[in-house]
Amino acid sequence: MGMLIRGAAVLTMEKPESLLPNGEIIVEGQYITHVGPAGSVSPERTFDRVIDARGMLAMPGFVNCHTHAAMTLFRGYADDLPLMQWLQEKIWPVEERLEPEDVYWGTMLCCLEMIRSGTTTFADMYFHMDEAARAVEKAGLRASLSRGMIGLSPGAGEALDYSRRFIRDWHGQAGGRITTMLGPHAPYTCPPDFLHRVMEVAADLKVGIHIHIAETRAEIEEIRQKYGKTPVVLMDEVGLFEFPVLAAHCVHLDENDIRILAEKKVGIAHNPESNMKLASGIAPVTRLLAAGALVGLGTDGAASNNNVDMMEEMRSAALLQKVATMDPTALAAFDALSMATANGARVLGLHDVGLLKPGYKADIILINLDQPHFYPRHDLVAHLVYAARSADVETVIIDGQVVMEKRQVLTMDEEEVYHEVQKRSQRLVGTDL
Ligand SMILES: CSC[C@H]1O[C@@H](n2cnc3c(O)ncnc32)[C@H](O)[C@@H]1O
Ligand SMILES: [Zn+2]
């Protein structure tokens, strides 16, 4: 019989003008089966559940295209450093101490924070991914998971074996909510011979590849000195872009790099807040979009952001492009919102996610509009990007299941998550606040 959501303003995200002031949405199983104006559903029809969403806005949940979920464990541990110093002196030493259960609880905390801020799908690259997958299954999110691999490390072969087994075990699990990718970390940690081994597995298992590319000037310089080309050209020549690729960052690009990324349909995860905090630079998003590249939005890990709030990220993305180009029309509100929803889903290769439309997965968030910062109601899209806060998200539905209702997360015990994370992060980084 399904679920009816009625009375909400409905932003389908198909076009800027596709806003129903008073809409009706039917969810059956995992899917949306109807979206229409008030009165479009027969009054005779009965439902298992009716959600009265008057005063709310219904829209697709956010898609976070790049994070390291369990890095919530290291939030606030190492701040105000450049990327390489941050990684080499602070993060990699403490990651050596990670136990599988740490990743479970760190990922649970990230899932909790994501649900409470309206994210319904995310792409993750980290270690101990069986535990990350268990957390995603329990929390109820949709995720594309990859075991991160440092090709230069002595454990690279083992990491690739783990990835192969992980993909076989988890791809399509949790009712299809979990998909998988291969996760070679970056061109500066994964040389071409290792990437060739990764591509063999990608071809065999028919999965995509999640990698950091062109994040800092230091990376551009290191790759130029070693190979005499840019990271994007190197990855293209290695053959990586013959596979579906999710490329995080893409900050330092020349015109040729932009052309390659657009032509090869590389999915780009733009992470403006992490790029600002690590002072990595400003990605040329407006030029990428003008060239026809596919760009979504990510937060990166909570140790370099320091949260996983996609509403904040969307606002930062829009403001940053305006100031970088000195053009207030750059990355207009609807384009920023598309990056955070429909285009993010395309970046992850999820073709039935990111729109409120029959046949799409029922990943829906309800935002409480009865608040001072949503008045006057000139333009709801602008309000969502420039005025909304994550605490305005009232209800979250993922894959047809209500996972948060009236700001109560239903899939986990919040206190237990806080307790476990506090205990484990103290052991890992040795601080007790
Ligand atoms: C091999 S698992 C992922 C690996 O990436 C590290 N990491 C986190 N944030 C970034 C970033 O912005 N650039 C490069 N690498 C990053 C994380 O700590 C893990 O070691
Ligand atoms: Zn990252």
Side-chain angles (χ1 to χ4, degrees):
M1 290 204 295
M3 172 163 65
L4 172 66
I5 303 166
R6 69 172 174 219
V10 178
L11 185 62
T12 69
M13 286 311 295
E14 283 175 278
K15 287 181 276 182
E17 59 277 15
S18 31
L19 175 78
L20 299 167
N22 179 1
E24 292 175 332
I25 303 169
I26 298 177
V27 173
E28 292 175 277
Q30 301 166 280
Y31 290 97
I32 295 168
T33 53
H34 171 84
V35 179
S40 59
V41 175
S42 157
E44 264 98 77
R45 205 167 152 181
T46 54
F47 294 92
D48 300 311
R49 177 150 190 201
V50 177
I51 296 182
D52 177 0
R54 282 174 293 178
M56 306 273 172
L57 173 113
M59 62 170 283
F62 296 114
V63 178
N64 183 342
C65 288
H66 177 69
T67 191
H68 311 279
M71 289 188 85
T72 51
L73 292 162
F74 306 127
R75 188 193 334 254
Y77 153 69
D79 295 293
D80 310 325
L81 295 169
L83 176 74
M84 287 320 292
Q85 192 185 351
W86 177 78
L87 280 175
Q88 287 170 352
E89 293 177 18
K90 293 289 194 173
I91 297 296
W92 284 338
V94 290
E95 285 180 338
E96 288 285 318
R97 298 185 208 149
L98 279 169
E99 298 290 338
E101 281 300 289
D102 298 331
V103 170
Y104 176 80
W105 289 105
T107 306
M108 283 295 270
L109 180 64
C110 190
C111 289
L112 175 57
E113 194 181 338
M114 286 192 284
I115 291 171
R116 290 180 65 78
S117 50
T119 292
T120 52
T121 299
F122 70 105
D124 195 28
M125 179 207 286
Y126 212 50
F127 309 104
H128 303 300
M129 292 307 288
D130 289 301
E131 283 65 31
R134 272 175 50 221
V136 169
E137 187 167 37
K138 167 99 176 90
L141 273 106
R142 189 180 304 289
S144 169
L145 305 177
S146 49
R147 199 283 191 207
M149 297 178 282
I150 309 282
L152 288 172
S153 93
E158 222 175 282
L160 194 52
D161 291 343
Y162 183 112
S163 296
R164 192 185 282 110
R165 199 267 310 143
F166 174 73
I167 291 165
R168 287 203 174 115
D169 284 357
W170 284 99
H171 195 84
Q173 291 301 305
R177 282 188 285 114
I178 294 179
T179 50
T180 57
M181 293 180 115
L182 286 150
H185 173 254
Y188 58 93
T189 53
C190 296
D193 59 340
F194 182 71
L195 291 172
H196 282 122
R197 291 166 64 194
V198 170
M199 289 187 292
E200 268 174 37
V201 179
D204 184 24
L205 300 183
K206 298 186 178 50
V207 292
I209 296 171
H210 184 174
I211 184 168
H212 298 90
I213 299 183
E215 183 174 2
T216 61
R217 281 218 189 100
E219 172 182 342
I220 305 299
E221 195 44 34
E222 185 179 330
I223 298 297
R224 195 191 60 75
Q225 279 187 5
K226 266 197 200 143
Y227 305 99
K229 46 195 80 161
T230 69
V232 169
V233 169
L234 177 66
M235 294 301 99
D236 191 33
E237 288 181 5
V238 159
L240 206 76
F241 298 154
E242 305 313 313
F243 296 85
V245 168
L246 166 57
H249 301 300
C250 297
V251 172
H252 298 279
L253 306 174
D254 62 22
E255 287 309 314
N256 186 46
D257 293 334
I258 291 176
R259 182 188 57 76
I260 292 170
L261 291 168
E263 262 179 33
K264 294 290 169 83
K265 301 193 182 345
V266 174
I268 297 164
H270 173 47
N271 303 271
E273 294 199 344
S274 171
N275 295 158
M276 285 193 276
K277 185 154 182 284
L278 298 167
S280 301
I282 304 174
V285 172
T286 47
R287 285 193 288 138
L288 281 163
L289 294 175
L294 185 54
V295 188
L297 207 53
T299 57
D300 215 347
S304 63
N305 184 302
N306 285 6
N307 60 42
V308 289
D309 181 334
M310 286 290 288
M311 279 199 181
E312 251 191 31
E313 208 67 40
M314 196 166 57
R315 185 161 189 257
S316 295
L319 299 186
L320 190 57
Q321 288 306 306
K322 293 174 198 308
V323 74
T325 57
M326 293 296 284
D327 175 4
T329 68
L331 202 61
F334 186 78
D335 298 330
L337 202 54
S338 293
M339 278 169 64
T341 54
N343 287 352
R346 290 174 61 211
V347 163
L348 302 191
L350 302 172
H351 297 291
D352 56 0
V353 172
L355 297 177
L356 298 190
K357 191 176 173 182
Y360 275 63
K361 291 277 167 57
D363 294 355
I364 305 167
I365 60 175
L366 300 179
I367 294 175
N368 178 6
L369 295 177
D370 282 338
Q371 313 205 56
H373 52 279
F374 288 127
Y375 282 92
R377 300 268 167 85
H378 294 305
D379 181 342
L380 277 177
V381 170
H383 285 354
L384 285 168
V385 176
Y386 301 125
R389 309 166 186 153
S390 54
D392 303 333
V393 178
E394 195 80 7
T395 296
V396 175
I397 298 164
I398 307 175
D399 216 32
Q401 299 297 317
V402 179
V403 298
M404 182 171 83
E405 192 175 7
K406 299 198 174 87
R407 293 209 56 73
Q408 200 63 44
V409 176
L410 306 175
T411 52
M412 64 182 89
D413 175 345
E414 294 194 22
E415 290 304 320
E416 185 186 21
V417 175
Y418 299 147
H419 172 78
E420 288 289 342
V421 163
Q422 185 60 24
K423 180 179 80 184
R424 289 166 190 281
S425 70
Q426 273 168 224
R427 190 195 88 247
L428 287 162
V429 306
T431 55
D432 188 1
L433 301 175

